[in-house]
Amino acid sequence: MEEYSPQEMRRDMEDVRRTLGSRYGRQPLAYVKTYGCQQNVSDSERLMGMLLAMGYAQTDDPHRADFILFNTCAVRESAENRVLGNLGALKSLYEKNPARIMAVCGCMAQRPEIAAKVRESYGHVRLLFGANAPHRLPGLLLRVLAGERVIDTSPPSGEIPEGVPVHRDGRVKAWLPIMQGCDNFCSYCIVPYVRGRERSRPMDEVLSQAQALIREGYREITLLGQNVNSYGKGLGADFPTLLRRLSEIEGDFRVRFMTSHPKDCSEALIDAVASSDKICSHIHLPVQSGSGRILREMNRQYTPQEYLRLIDLARERIPGVHFTSDIIVGFPGETEEDFEETLELVRRVRYTSLFTFLYSRRSGTKAADLPDPVTPAEKARRFQRLLDIQEGIGRSIHEEQVGRVLTVLAEGPGREEGLLTGRTESGIITQFPAGEALIGQFVPVRITKALNWALCGETEEQK
Ligand code: SAH
Ligand code: SF4
Ligand code: F3S
């Protein structure tokens, strides 16, 4: 696929803006719905940034929107089915007003099977494009506005566009993508097929964007990538160096990052986290399984022992470090013993929280061809056992925080009037009574109570 330059993007945005003016005679509204991971959330911020730059105003009501875009996820079948269901439901909106433009993009749209299905059975969808080139939206939209139905099935491109306008919803926390794609090919995972090969943004771009965000008043920056630990390959840069350079920026802010792959999580990374108060002492380090045999079948390229050594090293070097993880239950051929090993690892690591998934078969991946004799009922039983065990661990970690004073970044109003909510450095949701003036501040909070899902506390000054 040919490169789509920033100049072309800007020229097309201008052309769309003019076309929209004569088509609607008022300001048209755009609605973007995001499925999937933070990468997609971040892509949607760029999609909305371009839409606003082209003259749309944002709406969160699809019924009022002139342009409806679903930015989709392909990682599990359930997510795809939900999108297809929601897309089907849009048909009546289109019939009421065929001037409305319906579009699908993202990881699911990158899959040829899905593109074919949309082409044939979802005639109301006028535009489909894949996950790799969200910045191509202006050029594609221009064609749709000229009457064409555009189903763009080009393979993942190697592009990593700079200069795309971004519209962020929040004023306190910002996502900062540092790389795209994945080269790991874990045997269950669709991401490398839909997002293409790994490529990193130049370090100077990342640093200057971080500086700009901090100047604008953002207090937390989350560096994003499928495997941030291998940042910089081919650029002569590496992730620990990026972290150190970021922590040298002046200002009152903190940095998080996700996701770390255990095979690339180096001692240098652990030391970089340990070396700066600005880097949160929280590592999201997906283990996927505690069984060496299953990890081999998954092509994860580490053993449970190596994983645990990393955890121990991080605990030794980073005082008070917290871990979170992803775990897949019911990978093809997972035996009761394999699953017990996962439970044992979970008990040993004591994660603050876990994202647990039932294995979902993704056609095109290696694992899709493996025999899978375990019944869905048995998988569901294992899943529930893991949830129960994690609930107990999470709860006891929360209880250990009671009496401590933790720094919470106040993000917004809490569940009840008069409360604010935010997260500790380790990522635990914390609620405390305070006025809205404190939103966007780092607040010392004395923890008074532990809930299963959160902490409650009071600001130190109130005591
Ligand atoms: N790059 C990140 C995660 C990407 S997908 C990493 O390597 O950790 C997020 C999570 O979805 C994965 O960690 C995995 O736990 C889960 N996942 C991916 N494919 C899956 C599948 N086929 N079935 C169930 N869960 C899956
Ligand atoms: Fe998928 Fe593995 Fe890549 Fe994560 S590292 S995106 S799980 S292939
Ligand atoms: Fe889903 Fe794509 Fe993220 S498949 S998990 S939205 S990278």
Side-chain angles (χ1 to χ4, degrees):
M1 193 162 50
E2 273 177 40
E3 284 272 329
Y4 183 66
S5 68
Q7 291 78 353
E8 283 173 285
M9 178 186 73
R10 278 195 293 274
R11 186 201 59 209
D12 288 344
M13 289 205 294
E14 210 28 65
D15 285 351
V16 170
R17 180 185 264 284
R18 267 196 301 274
T19 314
L20 289 178
S22 52
R23 180 176 170 120
Y24 293 102
R26 60 175 165 84
Q27 188 172 31
L29 299 175
Y31 167 84
V32 176
K33 169 139 180 90
T34 311
Y35 299 82
C37 67
Q38 281 76 12
Q39 296 270 345
N40 257 18
V41 174
S42 166
D43 285 348
S44 286
E45 292 180 339
R46 283 170 174 69
L47 291 161
M48 188 49 85
M50 289 183 281
L51 288 165
L52 298 185
M54 290 187 286
Y56 284 96
Q58 184 174 16
T59 174
D60 42 21
D61 179 3
H63 294 90
R64 293 180 58 217
D66 301 286
F67 181 72
I68 299 181
L69 176 61
F70 282 7
N71 186 15
T72 61
C73 170
V75 86
R76 281 169 292 276
E77 197 177 0
S78 52
E80 286 194 345
N81 289 339
R82 201 147 35 96
V83 171
L84 289 175
N86 292 349
L87 261 190
L90 287 183
K91 194 160 180 205
S92 62
L93 276 188
Y94 175 71
E95 281 160 356
K96 267 185 228 147
N97 176 9
R100 212 171 238 152
I101 297 170
M102 315 241 166
V104 191
C105 69
C107 294
M108 181 179 162
Q110 189 77 53
R111 302 216 304 129
E113 304 90 305
I114 298 289
K117 197 169 196 158
V118 168
R119 187 196 297 276
E120 275 150 38
S121 315
Y122 294 79
H124 56 294
V125 173
R126 305 302 298 165
L127 168 61
L128 174 145
F129 58 104
N132 266 276
H135 69 297
R136 286 177 178 260
L137 172 66
L140 301 171
L141 184 54
L142 201 55
R143 285 162 58 193
V144 174
L145 288 168
E148 196 182 336
R149 184 179 188 214
V150 179
I151 308 284
D152 184 287
T153 50
S154 15
S157 75
E159 288 176 284
I160 183 149
E162 298 296 343
V164 180
V166 186
H167 175 73
R168 292 190 165 80
D169 279 332
R171 306 288 311 147
V172 180
K173 302 199 296 182
W175 308 111
L176 179 45
I178 62 169
M179 62 192 302
Q180 290 279 342
C182 179
D183 288 351
N184 288 317
F185 290 95
C186 301
S187 65
Y188 48 82
C189 184
I190 195 85
V191 171
Y193 302 92
V194 291
R195 287 261 172 187
R197 296 291 60 74
E198 214 172 86
R199 52 222 182 264
S200 298
R201 296 179 62 192
M203 194 176 296
D204 288 346
E205 290 280 350
V206 175
L207 289 170
S208 65
Q209 208 168 5
Q211 265 159 348
L213 289 167
I214 293 159
R215 262 200 312 274
E216 284 170 45
Y218 284 93
R219 295 305 174 100
E220 184 174 297
I221 293 176
T222 303
L223 308 175
L224 289 181
Q226 291 303 341
N227 180 10
V228 290
N229 305 155
S230 63
Y231 169 80
K233 254 199 250 163
L235 293 180
D238 64 41
F239 189 56
T241 308
L242 175 63
L243 283 183
R244 285 181 192 274
R245 299 276 306 275
L246 282 165
S247 64
E248 284 160 9
I249 299 175
E250 290 285 312
D252 199 14
F253 68 95
R254 68 189 184 189
V255 174
R256 295 185 189 282
F257 54 91
M258 66 191 299
T259 294
S260 298
H261 193 303
K263 82 171 163 58
D264 299 311
C265 181
S266 62
E267 200 171 332
L269 169 63
I270 290 173
D271 288 341
V273 176
S275 72
S276 167
D277 289 344
K278 287 180 172 157
I279 314 287
C280 289
S281 47
H282 163 213
I283 308 184
H284 181 60
L285 197 61
V287 69
Q288 312 297 356
S289 168
S291 152
R293 190 182 71 81
I294 294 290
L295 286 176
R296 262 195 316 280
E297 295 272 317
M298 287 176 161
N299 188 29
R300 288 290 288 180
Q301 300 175 56
Y302 53 84
T303 63
Q305 294 72 27
E306 285 164 343
Y307 182 89
L308 289 170
R309 268 201 296 279
L310 264 180
I311 297 276
D312 290 343
L313 185 69
R315 285 226 154 98
E316 207 180 288
R317 305 262 173 100
I318 312 168
V321 64
H322 284 245
F323 299 98
T324 52
S325 192
D326 296 353
I327 290 186
I328 297 178
V329 174
F331 183 82
E334 179 191 74
T335 63
E336 187 61 29
E337 293 73 55
D338 292 321
F339 178 64
E340 289 290 340
E341 286 176 7
T342 298
L343 295 182
E344 203 179 303
L345 182 137
V346 166
R347 289 195 194 94
R348 160 95 148 70
V349 176
R350 299 185 77 239
Y351 294 107
T352 316
S353 64
L354 269 188
F355 298 91
T356 46
F357 306 103
L358 266 176
Y359 170 73
S360 170
R361 192 179 163 278
R362 304 283 53 212
S363 60
T365 62
K366 281 236 168 80
D369 302 326
L370 295 174
D372 189 7
V374 183
T375 62
E378 174 57 25
K379 290 186 182 188
R381 195 192 57 80
R382 286 180 193 166
F383 192 77
Q384 192 54 48
R385 266 184 79 198
L386 176 59
L387 289 187
D388 292 344
I389 286 171
Q390 178 56 35
E391 190 177 307
I393 295 169
R395 170 102 206 177
S396 75
I397 292 177
H398 287 182
E399 275 161 5
E400 284 161 22
Q401 313 305 315
V402 173
R404 294 187 183 163
V405 177
L406 303 176
T407 302
V408 177
L409 174 59
E411 292 168 21
R415 285 200 172 179
E416 283 164 37
E417 187 76 30
L419 290 183
L420 292 187
T421 186
R423 281 178 195 266
T424 64
E425 192 185 331
S426 57
I428 309 176
I429 297 172
T430 305
Q431 301 213 73
F432 55 96
E436 300 209 344
L438 284 190
I439 292 176
Q441 305 292 317
F442 290 106
V443 184
V445 175
R446 181 171 295 277
I447 305 303
T448 51
K449 196 166 120 194
L451 308 173
N452 278 351
W453 59 277
L455 300 173
C456 305
E458 49 197 36
T459 53
E460 267 292 78
E461 291 77 17
Q462 286 181 336
K463 290 216 68 214

